[in-house]
Amino acid sequence: MFVFTIFVLFVFFILYKLLLIVPMREVNVIERLGKFRTVLQPGFHFLIPFFDRVAYKHEIREQVLDVPPQSCISKDNTQLEVDGLVYLKVMDGKLASYGIENYRLAAVNLAQTTMRSEIGKLSLSQTFSERDSLNESIVREIDKASDPWGIKVLRYEIKNITPSRKVIHTLEKQMEAERSKRAEITLANAEKAAMINLSEGERQEAINISEGQKQKRINEAKGTAQEISIVAKAKAEGMELVSSALALEGGNEAMNMQLKEQFIGQVGKILNDADISVVPAEMAKLEGFFEGMEQVTHAVGSNSVKGARS
């Protein structure tokens, strides 16, 4: 039984060394007697026991490597602390095994040195605004250097760019000053627009007032002209009627009587409205006045009759 047990164990050991199952997510590098033989892809394989051995196993899925934070100096001498992530994939198991000792550590160190070099070409503001171009530059440089290692750098992503506290304080003051500047500019533009609108309103108001006054004066002038025209026309018609009346028989006597009545009425009005008593000094001259009025009326009537006959 002991011998049988030893035999069974030996058979299982041989089978274990003879048969190899490679998982789907990796490749195995096989060495025969210490020398590279082949790279086994995922699947079922046979090995020669005691001659063949699995020297290396490599993950063929995309791998994410964390790049630790490191201190960098920008083009404008600003100290920054930058970290990121490297995404890579093993493309050749042989080169990944024999091309470099540890491709993961090498990729991380290369990413750090490349990132430090690329950030030194940019100013502080450019490191924040041109992160995509910075990532592309780092990927290009790492991929070029890692080609002999049998790996492919797919992309690089910067996680954080952290300036020093002094720089952050300076940037905060700068941003506050920029915000104050923009606020003052906005207020100035608003005041300017308000003054322009106010002046435009006052200008339009003055124009409207002047137009109104102009139209008022035009209307008043037209009304005055029409009034003068009507009055002149009425006077002319009145004079024609008076002339016609004087040309008739008894017109002169009627005119004299009318003038006397008007004179007496005006004198009575003056005596009634005056605060003191007003009496003509020479009442006898009234008769001479009326006689003179009769002569004037007679002369006017004679001229009117002559004019009508002619």
Side-chain angles (χ1 to χ4, degrees), residues 9-250:
L9 293 175
F10 180 74
V11 170
F12 276 107
F13 180 75
I14 294 298
L15 292 175
Y16 176 76
K17 291 292 185 180
L18 177 64
L19 304 177
L20 178 64
I21 298 175
V22 179
M24 187 64 188
R25 65 178 180 274
E26 65 182 32
V27 293
N28 291 354
V29 177
I30 304 301
E31 290 182 352
R32 177 170 293 176
L33 299 177
K35 186 178 179 181
F36 171 77
R37 175 176 171 266
T38 185
V39 177
L40 297 182
Q41 300 297 323
F44 183 77
H45 302 277
F46 291 96
L47 300 178
I48 301 176
F50 306 108
F51 288 91
D52 296 338
R53 74 180 185 91
V54 178
Y56 300 98
K57 295 181 180 181
H58 296 293
E59 180 77 37
I60 60 175
R61 294 178 296 181
E62 185 175 346
Q63 303 177 49
V64 182
L65 305 180
D66 188 13
V67 180
Q70 63 170 335
S71 179
C72 302
I73 303 297
S74 64
K75 186 178 180 180
D76 50 0
N77 296 323
T78 302
Q79 185 175 359
L80 304 171
E81 192 172 83
V82 187
D83 59 352
L85 296 173
V86 176
Y87 296 82
L88 55 83
K89 186 176 183 180
V90 175
M91 306 301 294
D92 190 333
K94 179 181 178 181
L95 293 178
S97 301
Y98 303 104
I100 193 168
E101 179 182 1
N102 188 338
Y103 67 85
R104 293 184 180 88
L105 180 61
V108 170
N109 290 332
L110 183 59
Q112 286 181 321
T113 56
T114 305
M115 180 169 53
R116 190 182 299 114
S117 175
E118 292 297 327
I119 288 180
K121 300 176 183 178
L122 303 175
S123 62
L124 177 62
S125 58
Q126 289 176 330
T127 57
F128 291 102
S129 61
E130 300 182 7
R131 298 182 71 162
D132 292 338
S133 60
L134 182 60
N135 292 334
E136 292 176 0
S137 300
I138 294 175
V139 169
R140 185 170 55 252
E141 295 298 327
I142 298 176
D143 190 54
K144 186 188 301 182
S146 62
D147 187 62
W149 305 342
I151 62 174
K152 175 68 175 178
V153 178
L154 302 177
R155 60 188 181 276
Y156 180 86
E157 296 291 340
I158 295 177
K159 289 198 300 183
N160 298 304
I161 300 178
T162 308
S164 62
R165 291 187 176 181
K166 185 177 181 181
V167 175
I168 293 176
H169 185 64
T170 303
L171 291 176
E172 289 177 350
K173 286 187 175 180
Q174 183 178 358
M175 292 181 64
E176 184 178 356
E178 287 293 332
R179 285 193 294 268
S180 300
K181 177 182 176 182
R182 289 195 295 268
E184 291 178 357
I185 292 174
T186 303
L187 290 175
N189 291 333
E191 292 178 357
K192 177 181 177 182
M195 293 179 65
I196 291 174
N197 294 333
L198 182 61
S199 62
E200 287 292 335
E202 293 177 349
R203 175 176 173 269
Q204 190 63 39
E205 180 183 5
I207 291 174
N208 294 337
I209 292 174
S210 63
E211 289 291 337
Q213 293 177 349
K214 174 184 175 182
Q215 190 63 38
K216 179 182 178 182
R217 288 193 296 269
I218 291 173
N219 295 337
E220 290 178 349
K222 288 182 178 180
T224 304
Q226 292 178 358
E227 180 183 0
I228 293 172
S229 177
I230 293 172
V231 171
K233 185 176 180 181
K235 288 183 177 179
E237 292 178 354
M239 293 296 293
E240 291 180 359
L241 293 175
V242 170
S243 299
S244 299
L246 291 175
L248 297 176
E249 185 178 355

